[in-house]
């Protein structure tokens, strides 16, 4: 039997191809967001020299490095390893449509925020629309600012919210006001009216499975809130 017919050889070959593709994905992702190697190093905790070698295919990253890339860049491990630059572009899907009645969708609840993922029946969306009921009335209830991949558009539907962001002074937004921001900049919002305010957030990124990435961010916040509550 030829060596290329052996299952173990095929497994090693497939993994080597995936590792090579990971370097290209990392380089393309940096280019898309305009990140430097130093910025990615700060996000992931991986040395710039190591990142450069991974991008150029000079080394094969170990599992710990892949985990750091996955967590730091907000990408699932499966997406890192399964993205192939040689795969043909999938055919354009046309005539897709999804209706969400009265802002109802897939629910995720934090202590002071209620998230409804709209049009959740449509897979592989480039835009993720989310209706958020903002119940946090103080910075303490809002918690620390967070960031994730991509960009987002925020529209206030009801009430009044205060938008906090990493590089700007807090901004108050009233009903009908909107803002477009870079989601990699830490940000957060609280309601200025009791009991809550309502906003729609549309997130967009070239990242595969963006909806799952955003859900993971929220789930981490839920776990953190539960841990704090358990210590109280």
């Amino acid at each position: 039997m030829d060596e290329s017919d052996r299952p173990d050889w095929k497994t090693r070959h497939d993994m080597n191809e995936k590792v090579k593709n990971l370097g290209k994905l990392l380089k393309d992702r940096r280019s898309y967001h305009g990140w430097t190697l130093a910025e990615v190093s700060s996000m992931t905790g991986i040395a710039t020299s190591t990142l450069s070698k991974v991008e150029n295919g000079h080394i094969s990253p170990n599992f710990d490095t892949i985990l750091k890339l996955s967590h730091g860049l907000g990408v699932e491990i499966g997406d890192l390893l399964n993205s192939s630059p040689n795969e043909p572009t999938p055919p354009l899907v046309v005539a897709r449509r999804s209706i969400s009645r009265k802002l109802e969708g897939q629910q995720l609840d934090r202590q002071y925020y209620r998230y409804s993922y709209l049009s959740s029946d449509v897979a592989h969306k480039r835009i993720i629309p989310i209706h958020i009921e903002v119940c946090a009335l103080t910075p303490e209830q809002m918690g620390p600012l967070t960031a994730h991949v991509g960009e987002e558009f925020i529209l206030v539907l009801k009430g009044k919210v205060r938008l906090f962001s990493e590089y700007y002074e807090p901004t108050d937004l009233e009903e009908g006001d909107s803002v477009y921001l870079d989601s990699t900049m830490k940000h957060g919002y609280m309601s200025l009216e009791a009991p809550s305010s309502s906003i729609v957030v549309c997130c967009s990124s070239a990242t595969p499975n963006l909806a799952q990435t955003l859900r993971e961010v929220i789930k981490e916040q839920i776990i953190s809130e539960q841990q704090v509550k358990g210590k109280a």
Side-chain angles (χ1 to χ4, degrees), residues 130-144:
I130 311 170
H131 173 252
I132 306 176
E133 195 72 20
V134 183
C135 303
L137 300 174
T138 66
E140 290 73 25
Q141 291 178 346
M142 178 182 68

Side-chain angles (χ1 to χ4, degrees), residues 22-175:
L22 188 152
K24 183 178 186 306
L25 182 144
L26 176 58
K27 184 177 291 187
D28 290 347
R29 192 174 186 76
R30 275 206 311 112
S31 176
Y32 175 81
H33 290 287
W35 295 331
T36 65
L37 279 174
E39 288 172 329
V40 175
S41 175
S42 176
M43 294 161 62
T44 61
I46 302 172
T48 55
S49 58
T50 301
L51 291 170
S52 178
K53 291 175 182 177
V54 170
E55 282 193 358
N56 292 289
H58 295 157
I59 62 170
S60 298
N62 57 30
F63 188 67
D64 181 59
T65 300
I66 293 174
L67 276 178
K68 289 180 179 178
L69 284 171
S70 172
H71 180 74
L73 300 181
V75 184
E76 294 185 0
I77 292 177
D79 292 329
L80 280 174
L81 295 180
N82 291 329
S83 178
S84 172
N86 298 319
E87 290 179 356
T89 302
L92 178 65
V93 179
V94 295
R96 296 202 299 179
R97 192 186 80 164
S98 174
I99 297 175
S100 297
R101 300 291 184 184
K102 296 183 179 179
L103 301 176
E104 291 182 346
Q106 186 179 20
Q107 300 287 322
L108 267 180
D109 290 346
R110 290 175 55 196
Q111 188 172 2
Y112 295 104
Y113 297 86
R114 291 192 291 270
Y115 301 83
S116 297
Y117 279 74
L118 309 176
S119 301
S120 56
D121 55 326
V122 178
H124 309 299
K125 298 187 297 293
R126 289 296 186 182
I127 299 176
I128 311 300
I130 311 170
H131 173 252
I132 306 176
E133 195 72 20
V134 183
C135 303
L137 300 174
T138 66
E140 290 73 25
Q141 291 178 346
M142 178 182 68
L145 304 183
T146 58
H148 52 81
V149 297
E151 303 166 324
E152 64 188 78
F153 173 80
I154 303 170
L155 172 66
V156 180
L157 296 181
K158 182 190 72 174
K160 186 176 182 180
V161 301
R162 178 164 294 165
L163 173 68
F164 296 82
S165 52
E166 190 173 4
Y167 302 114
Y168 297 89
E169 291 296 319
T171 302
D172 294 348
L173 302 171
E174 299 185 357
E175 185 175 320

